């Protein structure tokens, strides 16, 4: 009599055990592969965010008047240059409220614009944020007549400049701008007015989020211009993944080429 073909209980148990081992290895492999892909995506996202933030900060700083830069803790402040030209004659009596200049290639938007002449030498950075008369920064510009030659800048009040530029350069500057870190966020402040003492951070004006997920203190440093190079601003910050806790350090240097 022939025996019936089949599996013994031991063989079935062995097969089940082997399948369980294979399934466990397969699941672990898929899990690790998926986690690896997520980690790579997170790193790429932080790297892209670091590039975007660095480029935004760099573009802002490149428009700064070099000696207006000042830092305090995790804040940096500067006066943005809206336009520049050469002056032909400074304010003179009786009104002391007109400046003759070479015509602008493009008339700057006025708003809260002011005229700045030189600002080097014995001038301190805080003097650039003051509109005292005499001084290096004028009162508000009320209008610019660019249709005549020479063009004329009309000031809202009488003003005499305390310095002259060796190259007769005149800058039209806007209201101060600040970047300040607060906790995990980097903010951009504007439209808060000018103060001889740096506000860190400003308490009025407009505040915009420039970056998030920062860890540690954002560090700003400033090297003033010399005869061999322009002003140099260095900044560094670290971005952190809120889920994994993995961090990405970012550092950048910006050369500011505006000259007197």
């Amino acid at each position: 009599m022939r025996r019936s073909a089949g599996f013994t209980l031991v063989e079935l148990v062995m097969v089940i055990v082997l399948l369980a081992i294979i399934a466990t290895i397969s699941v672990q492999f898929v899990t690790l592969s998926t986690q690896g892909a997520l980690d790579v995506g997170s790193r790429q996202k932080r790297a892209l965010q670091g590039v975007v933030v660095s480029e935004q900060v760099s573009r802002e700083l490149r428009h700064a008047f070099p000696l207006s830069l000042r830092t305090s803790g995790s804040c940096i402040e500067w006066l943005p240059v809206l336009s520049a030209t050469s002056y032909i004659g400074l304010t003179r009596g009786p009104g002391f409220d007109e400046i003759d200049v070479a015509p602008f290639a493009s008339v700057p938007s006025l708003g809260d614009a002011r005229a700045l002449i030189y600002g080097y030498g014995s001038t301190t950075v805080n003097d650039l944020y003051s509109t005292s008369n005499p001084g290096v920064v004028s009162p508000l510009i009320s209008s610019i007549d660019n249709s005549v030659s020479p063009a004329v800048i009309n000031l809202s009040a009488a003003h005499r400049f305390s310095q002259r530029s060796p190259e007769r350069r005149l800058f039209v500057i806007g209201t101060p701008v600040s970047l300040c870190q607060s906790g995990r966020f980097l903010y951009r402040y504007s439209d808060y007015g000018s103060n001889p003492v740096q506000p860190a951070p400003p308490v009025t004006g407009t505040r915009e989020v420039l970056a998030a997920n920062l860890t540690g203190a954002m560090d700003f440093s400033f090297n003033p211009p010399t005869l061999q190079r322009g002003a140099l601003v260095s900044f560094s910050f670290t971005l952190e993944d809120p889920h994994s806790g993995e961090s990405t350090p970012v550092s950048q240097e910006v050369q500011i080429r505006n000259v007197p």
Side-chain angles (χ1 to χ4, degrees):
M1 185 175 185
R2 297 181 58 188
R3 293 182 59 187
S4 300
F7 300 100
T8 64
L9 181 59
V10 174
E11 291 173 331
L12 288 174
V13 171
M14 291 179 63
V15 170
I16 292 172
V17 170
L18 291 174
L19 290 175
I21 294 173
I22 294 173
T24 302
I25 295 174
S26 300
V27 170
Q28 187 70 14
F29 176 78
V30 172
T31 301
L32 292 175
S33 299
T34 303
Q35 186 61 47
L38 292 174
D39 290 342
V40 170
S42 178
R43 294 188 193 104
Q44 291 177 335
K45 181 179 178 180
R46 289 197 308 278
L48 179 59
Q49 183 184 4
V51 170
V52 171
V53 173
S54 296
E55 184 61 23
Q56 286 179 309
V57 175
S58 299
R59 288 187 179 187
E60 294 263 12
L61 291 172
R62 288 192 185 104
H63 293 286
F65 182 74
L67 293 187
S68 69
L69 286 151
R70 55 184 182 177
T71 60
S72 176
S74 294
C75 289
I76 186 169
E77 184 180 33
W78 68 91
L79 296 170
V81 175
L82 306 180
S83 188
T85 186
S86 298
Y87 67 82
I88 297 173
L90 297 182
T91 56
R92 59 186 182 276
F96 292 99
D97 58 356
E98 293 184 353
I99 310 172
D100 295 331
V101 298
F104 289 91
S106 177
V107 178
S109 176
L110 296 183
D112 295 327
R114 302 175 187 270
L116 186 155
I117 292 180
Y118 204 51
Y120 288 69
S122 60
T123 303
T124 66
V125 63
N126 291 340
D127 292 336
L128 298 175
Y129 291 83
S130 171
T131 56
S132 59
N133 185 16
V136 295
V137 178
S138 76
L140 293 175
I141 296 175
S142 56
S143 64
I144 296 177
D145 188 352
N146 207 47
S147 61
V148 296
S149 184
V152 179
I153 296 177
N154 298 293
L155 304 179
S156 60
H159 185 80
R160 282 183 282 187
F161 290 94
S162 59
Q163 295 182 344
R164 293 177 178 270
S165 167
E167 299 298 327
R168 305 179 73 87
R169 294 289 287 167
L170 179 144
F171 292 93
V172 177
I173 58 171
T175 56
V177 176
S178 287
L179 297 180
C180 293
Q181 180 191 4
S182 178
R184 296 172 53 249
F185 296 94
L186 176 65
Y187 293 102
R188 180 187 186 274
Y189 296 85
S190 59
D191 303 324
Y192 55 86
S194 184
N195 194 320
V197 179
Q198 181 182 1
V203 295
T204 60
T206 302
R207 186 178 77 168
E208 304 167 289
V209 176
L210 203 63
N213 299 328
L214 300 182
T215 179
M218 186 160 187
D219 180 47
F220 291 102
S221 62
F222 169 60
N223 293 320
T226 67
L227 295 176
Q228 288 76 33
R229 60 161 176 79
L232 187 67
V233 176
S234 303
F235 60 91
S236 60
F237 57 94
T238 301
L239 297 171
E240 183 179 55
D241 189 317
H243 302 293
S244 66
E246 190 176 51
S247 60
T248 302
V250 181
S251 60
Q252 182 83 359
E253 290 185 344
V254 185
Q255 188 173 24
I256 303 171
R257 300 180 182 274
N258 294 324
V259 296

